[in-house]
Amino acid sequence: QVQLVESGGGSVQAGGSLRLSCAASGLDSDFCLAWFRQAPGKEREAVAHFNSDGTTRYAHSVEARVTFSKDNAKNTLYLEMNSLKPEDTAMYYCAARYPYCSGLYAPIMFDYWGQGTQVTVSS
């Protein structure tokens, strides 16, 4: 059974940084892990995708400001977010699917979801 647990959200001022964590268990090989976000009144949107072969995809709105890293011993994927803006304020979700993501996929393409972690950026 696949389980995803997010952490690392919080409240920061514009220009600050956060590192979001997605602790994953039950994943086999050839998977795609993704971060989505959803602001109040808006649709859920893709932020970044990470394939188990190491390839990545980033949304244009964040690609210059985010990077992935991972701790294989902890089965945890991290998303470092820098130069945060008020428009980054949203609930951030970790999601997983099989097999790889060849681009940025819509939420409906993902089978497994975490509960989310809130990111709030004040101006």
Side-chain angles (χ1 to χ4, degrees), residues 6-115:
E6 305 97 330
S7 62
S11 297
V12 297
Q13 290 190 330
S17 299
L18 284 172
R19 189 178 73 163
L20 306 183
S21 302
C22 175
S25 61
L27 284 173
D28 204 339
S29 58
D30 300 341
F31 59 83
C32 174
L33 272 176
W35 283 98
F36 288 84
R37 66 186 181 186
Q38 188 166 19
K42 294 189 177 182
E43 293 186 354
R44 193 168 296 190
E45 63 176 1
V47 176
H49 293 358
F50 174 88
N51 288 320
S52 53
D53 67 353
T55 55
T56 56
R57 301 285 188 276
Y58 299 99
H60 290 307
S61 60
V62 301
E63 61 183 344
R65 302 185 289 122
V66 303
T67 54
F68 277 116
S69 62
K70 58 188 177 73
D71 185 331
N72 291 330
K74 295 181 179 180
N75 292 323
T76 299
L77 183 69
Y78 303 100
L79 184 71
E80 184 81 28
M81 304 174 63
N82 301 305
S83 302
L84 284 163
K85 306 174 182 180
E87 50 264 44
D88 293 319
T89 295
M91 184 71 79
Y92 283 70
Y93 297 92
C94 182
R97 58 160 275 141
Y98 296 105
Y100 295 147
C101 295
S102 58
L104 284 178
Y105 284 9
I108 196 171
M109 300 297 289
F110 289 80
D111 299 309
Y112 309 100
W113 291 86
Q115 294 301 307

